[in-house]
């Protein structure tokens, strides 16, 4: 009996998808990117079915949105129940208790032994925008520091704070003023012969110099940092760096904002990745897996800071919608009841183990890194020169997709394979996904794939 999860009824994309794709190309602008050219019919857990009856294993998790799995029954129930009661009154018009429940829970879970408040929005970018607004209002300063290779969204402010020029910024200027980009560690790409400790020290010194050369600390409202860079290529900074930045923030009255939009909600084995660094942020931005696919985002922070904005100065029509709040409450329940933080740690170890096995077969894997279940491989043309192999990664993603594995790239050079599968993925799905990933590598790097195909 065939007990594989991936099933291929047609070529990928299949005829139905191709027909819709034609309409997509006619009516939807090309500026919106599409990783996979098939259209989804159904998604459950870590498995996605397309409109042609093909089944995929999902290692992309809607870009880190599906930590609890697709259409988790508890999320579906919560959303259905909410929709049957009321869909939207507008929190500004008539409040609902789920918003308060969610704020209360998140304030309790967020690091920091002080009073906190939480405000909700719709997208990640909106959360970051609001964190910036709140920080400016509170500090009465304008400057914002973000980091090289950071990603914070596509609105004017968050695009300005984002680092990768193409495709995120090219042709979209002028950008918002008073945003400064500081160096962020990238230990894999340190200079030859430099130890990790020396490199760490160097980056800290660079950060201190940056404050002399580029941005006077007295003028800075907030430093916005991803505790692990997501779009930047799953780069984990060293603890000393994160702590030093926080120390400098404290010294100059700068707010430390942890952008946990991709790292949050159990992805790294904790509710918030910043907890790995022993740093307590002043504000935290959240979204993505918070709503398990229902759009919701938020800012959590110290009460005095969160209360800096006057009535009506933050919020929005759909901000913290009832559906989003209920989905997020269900997500928190799932993380706790299914022990997803512990599972993410275990999953992460298994992913790293698998990546190491792959790297024994494929020389192109230059670096393997991660925190919890936020793991990635950096693909290079040559391990000595570390020349990024962007084309190789694009081919791997395509080859994987054609074989039924949804995969994502990342990184400034586009040469990182990042894995964001649901933390709830089963062992069998995990194994099958990695088997396909290995085949994709074999196809791209022209090694024999006979044994793998025979094994399936
Ligand atoms: C760290 C981080 N911040 C902000 C965003 C922007 O989120 P959204 O695409 O929901 O606006 C993202 C999205 O990938 C992200 O990873």
């Amino acid at each position: 009996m065939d007990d594989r999860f991936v099933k291929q009824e047609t070529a990928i994309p299949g005829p139905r998808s191709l027909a819709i794709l034609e309409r997509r190309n006619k009516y939807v602008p090309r500026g919106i990117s599409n990783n996979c050219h098939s259209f989804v019919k159904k998604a459950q857990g870590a498995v996605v079915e397309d409109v042609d009856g093909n089944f995929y294993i999902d290692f992309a998790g809607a870009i880190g949105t599906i930590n609890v799995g697709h259409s988790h029954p508890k999320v579906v129930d919560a959303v259905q129940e909410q929709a049957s009661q009321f869909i939207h009154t507008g929190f500004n018009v008539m409040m609902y208790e789920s918003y308060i429940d969610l704020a209360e829970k998140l304030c309790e879970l967020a690091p920091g032994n002080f009073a906190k408040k939480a405000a909700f929005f719709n997208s990640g970018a909106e959360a970051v925008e609001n964190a910036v607004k709140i920080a400016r209002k509170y500090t009465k300063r304008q400057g914002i520091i973000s980091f090289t290779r950071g990603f914070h969204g596509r609105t004017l402010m968050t695009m300005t704070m984002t680092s990768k020029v193409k495709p995120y910024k090219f042709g979209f200027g002028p950008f918002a003023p008073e945003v400064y980009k500081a160096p962020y560690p990238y230990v894999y790409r340190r200079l030859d012969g430099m130890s990790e400790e020396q490199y760490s020290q160097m980056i800290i010194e660079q950060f201190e110099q940056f404050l002399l050369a580029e941005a006077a600390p007295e003028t800075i409202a907030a430093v916005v940092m991803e505790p692990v860079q997501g779009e930047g290529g799953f780069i984990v900074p060293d603890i000393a760096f994160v702590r030093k930045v926080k120390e400098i923030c404290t010294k100059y009255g700068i707010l430390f904002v942890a952008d946990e939009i991709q790292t949050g909600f159990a992805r790294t084995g904790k509710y918030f990745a910043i907890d790995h660094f022993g740093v307590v942020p002043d504000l935290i931005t959240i979204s993505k897996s918070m709503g398990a696919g229902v759009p919701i985002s938020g800012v959590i922070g110290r009460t005095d800071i969160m209360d800096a904005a006057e009535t009506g100065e933050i919020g929005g029509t759909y901000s913290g919608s009832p559906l989003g709040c209920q989905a997020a409450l269900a997500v928190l329940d799932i993380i706790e009841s299914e022990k997803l933080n512990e599972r993410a740690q275990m999953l992460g170890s298994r992913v790293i183990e698998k990546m190491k096995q792959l790297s024994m077969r494929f020389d192109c894997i230059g670096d393997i890194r991660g925190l919890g279940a936020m793991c990635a491989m950096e693909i290079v043309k040559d391990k000595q020169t570390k020349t990024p192999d962007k084309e190789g990664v694009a081919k791997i993603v395509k080859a994987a997709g054609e074989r039924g594995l949804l995969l994502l790239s990342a990184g400034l050079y586009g040469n990182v394979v990042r894995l964001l599968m649901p933390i709830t993925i089963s062992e069998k799905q995990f194994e099958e996904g990695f088997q396909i990933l290995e085949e994709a590598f074999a196809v791209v790097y022209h090694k024999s794939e006979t044994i793998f195909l025979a094994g399936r």
Side-chain angles (χ1 to χ4, degrees):
M1 202 190 96
D2 185 0
D3 60 354
R4 284 175 301 161
F5 291 92
V6 170
K7 289 188 182 56
Q8 265 181 270
E9 295 294 327
T10 68
I12 291 177
R16 282 174 187 236
S17 281
L18 284 173
I20 307 172
L21 187 63
E22 216 177 292
R23 288 166 47 225
R24 179 257 178 260
N25 290 339
K26 190 168 174 195
Y27 294 111
V28 180
R30 60 199 177 96
I32 296 170
S33 74
N34 302 110
N35 203 49
C36 167
H37 286 174
S38 302
F39 287 78
V40 62
K41 179 181 169 195
K42 213 172 165 177
Q44 195 77 50
V47 177
V48 177
E49 182 188 356
D50 76 13
V51 290
D52 290 286
N54 300 305
F55 286 76
Y56 307 72
I57 289 177
D58 190 356
F59 273 14
I63 327 183
T65 303
I66 307 293
N67 287 356
V68 302
H70 288 282
S71 297
H72 191 292
K74 282 188 176 171
V75 176
V76 174
D77 282 353
V79 169
Q80 279 178 345
E81 171 60 20
Q82 180 59 54
S84 73
Q85 296 299 315
F86 63 95
I87 294 179
H88 198 57
T89 53
F91 191 70
N92 321 97
V93 177
M94 186 156 186
M95 296 180 285
Y96 30 91
E97 193 173 1
S98 55
Y99 191 116
I100 318 302
D101 291 340
L102 184 61
E104 187 175 355
K105 281 215 158 72
L106 287 169
C107 289
E108 277 164 12
L109 287 169
N113 193 16
F114 41 72
K116 281 166 244 151
K117 287 190 175 182
F120 302 122
F121 307 97
N122 300 289
S123 67
E126 226 186 306
V128 176
E129 287 273 352
N130 278 281
V132 167
K133 278 173 67 176
I134 293 166
R136 283 181 166 168
K137 194 87 187 184
Y138 177 78
T139 59
K140 301 186 175 58
R141 300 174 182 177
Q142 293 181 358
I144 299 295
I145 293 177
S146 59
F147 292 89
T148 48
R149 291 181 315 276
F151 183 88
H152 301 285
R154 287 180 171 83
T155 57
L156 178 60
M157 185 65 190
T158 58
M159 170 181 67
T160 305
M161 293 163 67
T162 288
S163 220
K164 196 170 172 176
V165 179
K166 287 185 182 176
Y168 303 130
K169 306 168 75 134
F170 190 63
F172 292 125
F175 301 105
E178 288 304 316
V179 175
Y180 303 90
K181 232 36 92 25
Y184 187 99
Y186 194 171
V187 71
Y188 173 61
R189 293 200 171 268
R190 69 190 184 279
L191 287 176
D192 269 354
M194 193 178 249
S195 71
E196 290 194 20
E197 289 69 28
Q198 285 169 330
Y199 178 73
S200 169
Q201 191 51 40
M202 187 192 80
I203 293 286
I204 288 174
E205 282 165 17
Q206 280 182 2
F207 187 76
E208 286 168 331
Q209 273 178 29
F210 161 86
L211 292 176
L212 294 174
E214 302 292 339
E218 300 81 3
T219 66
I220 301 299
V223 166
V224 183
M225 181 193 282
E226 292 165 88
V228 178
Q229 286 190 326
E231 304 302 301
F234 284 21
I235 299 168
V236 187
D238 60 301
I239 290 180
F241 172 74
V242 182
R243 289 191 176 166
K244 187 68 188 180
V245 172
K246 169 68 181 160
E247 193 186 304
I248 291 172
C249 284
T250 308
K251 181 173 168 193
Y252 291 104
I254 301 169
L255 301 185
F256 184 100
V257 183
D259 182 346
E260 295 266 7
I261 285 161
Q262 196 156 157
T263 50
F265 293 85
R267 174 52 53 184
T268 68
K270 293 189 185 287
Y271 282 97
F272 303 99
I274 197 70
D275 279 336
H276 289 281
F277 299 88
V279 161
V280 176
D282 300 295
L283 298 174
I284 301 175
T285 53
I286 48 174
S287 188
K288 289 199 185 265
S289 276
M290 175 185 187
V294 181
I296 183 161
S297 67
V299 181
I300 314 167
R302 266 175 36 203
T303 289
D304 55 334
I305 301 169
M306 293 295 290
D307 273 337
E310 301 291 337
T311 302
E313 289 183 344
I314 55 172
T317 306
Y318 279 117
S319 291
S321 80
L323 296 174
C325 288
Q326 290 293 1
L329 285 165
V331 164
L332 291 177
D333 171 17
I334 296 161
I335 293 175
E336 199 187 327
S337 60
E338 298 186 19
K339 298 191 173 14
L340 291 198
N341 281 315
E342 291 84 340
R343 278 175 78 170
Q345 296 282 8
M346 285 187 294
L347 179 65
S349 315
R350 293 275 290 115
V351 171
I352 297 288
E353 193 184 300
K354 283 282 182 191
M355 286 177 168
K356 284 185 179 158
Q357 283 168 12
L358 269 184
S359 73
M360 287 194 269
R361 193 168 169 228
F362 299 101
D363 254 4
C364 58
I365 301 175
D367 192 30
I368 292 171
R369 55 183 178 246
L371 189 62
M374 190 168 176
C375 305
M377 302 177 264
E378 182 151 350
I379 310 301
V380 290
K381 289 184 177 158
D382 177 322
K383 273 186 165 162
Q384 231 49 48
T385 61
K386 299 180 182 173
T387 309
D389 192 359
K390 179 179 176 168
E391 301 75 28
V393 167
K395 285 181 191 163
I396 291 167
V397 171
K398 185 165 182 287
E402 285 164 355
R403 285 160 181 75
L405 179 70
L406 300 180
L407 202 61
L408 287 175
S409 63
L412 187 60
Y413 309 107
N415 69 323
V416 174
V417 174
R418 61 168 149 173
L419 302 187
L420 287 166
M421 66 275 279
I423 298 165
T424 51
I425 192 167
S426 75
E427 180 60 23
K428 272 185 156 179
Q429 291 162 343
F430 176 86
E431 283 292 336
E432 194 178 324
F434 260 97
Q435 214 173 32
I436 300 173
L437 185 58
E438 188 157 1
E439 277 177 30
F441 268 84
V443 168
V444 174
Y445 291 99
H446 306 297
K447 304 220 173 168
S448 162
E449 58 173 322
T450 347
I451 41 166
F452 301 99
L453 289 173
R456 288 186 64 211

